[in-house]
Amino acid sequence: QVQLVESGGGSVQAGGSLRLSCARSGVTYNSNRMAWFRQAPGKGREGVAAIDTDGSTKYAASVKGRFTISKDNAKNTMYLQMNSLSPEDTAMYYCAARSDDRLSLLRGSYYSWGQGTQVTVSA
């Protein structure tokens, strides 16, 4: 059983930064494959960034160069550093883990999900 708890969301002005955290408890053979997703009101859940067991990463085109995904294995915590935020980044951000697919940004690839943390960017 893997449990995920996100934190770090909040309200920020355009151009600002936030860092999200995802604390993971429990370990399975595929629990180190993790990702961040987001869902804006009225839209589907989209993959933002993924990180594999070896630390390799993948980003959605919309956030590449602005967001950085990382993890601290000793703390069982994954992070998402978000810079140069714009109102289009406003969404509920979700942490996901346990995937059999390497660096997937597809919602269906992940078995475990957190409850989400809200990010609101004002113009």
Side-chain angles (χ1 to χ4, degrees), residues 1-7 19-36 51 53 69-80 95-98:
Q1 187 80 357
V2 171
Q3 293 185 327
L4 305 171
V5 179
E6 302 96 334
S7 62
R19 188 176 83 153
L20 306 182
S21 299
C22 172
R24 184 193 70 201
S25 60
V27 176
T28 62
Y29 75 95
N30 57 0
S31 60
N32 273 323
R33 285 181 171 163
M34 302 180 71
W36 287 99
I51 188 164
T53 305
I69 189 172
S70 63
K71 59 180 178 176
D72 185 331
N73 291 328
K75 296 181 178 180
N76 288 327
T77 301
M78 177 178 68
Y79 304 97
L80 185 68
C95 170
R98 294 186 60 219

Side-chain angles (χ1 to χ4, degrees), residues 13-64:
Q13 289 190 327
S17 298
L18 282 173
R19 188 176 83 153
L20 306 182
S21 299
C22 172
R24 184 193 70 201
S25 60
V27 176
T28 62
Y29 75 95
N30 57 0
S31 60
N32 273 323
R33 285 181 171 163
M34 302 180 71
W36 287 99
F37 285 72
R38 66 186 180 185
Q39 187 165 12
K43 295 188 177 181
R45 193 170 298 189
E46 65 170 346
V48 173
I51 188 164
D52 202 358
T53 305
D54 63 0
S56 54
T57 59
K58 182 178 180 178
Y59 296 91
S62 59
V63 306
K64 198 168 186 179

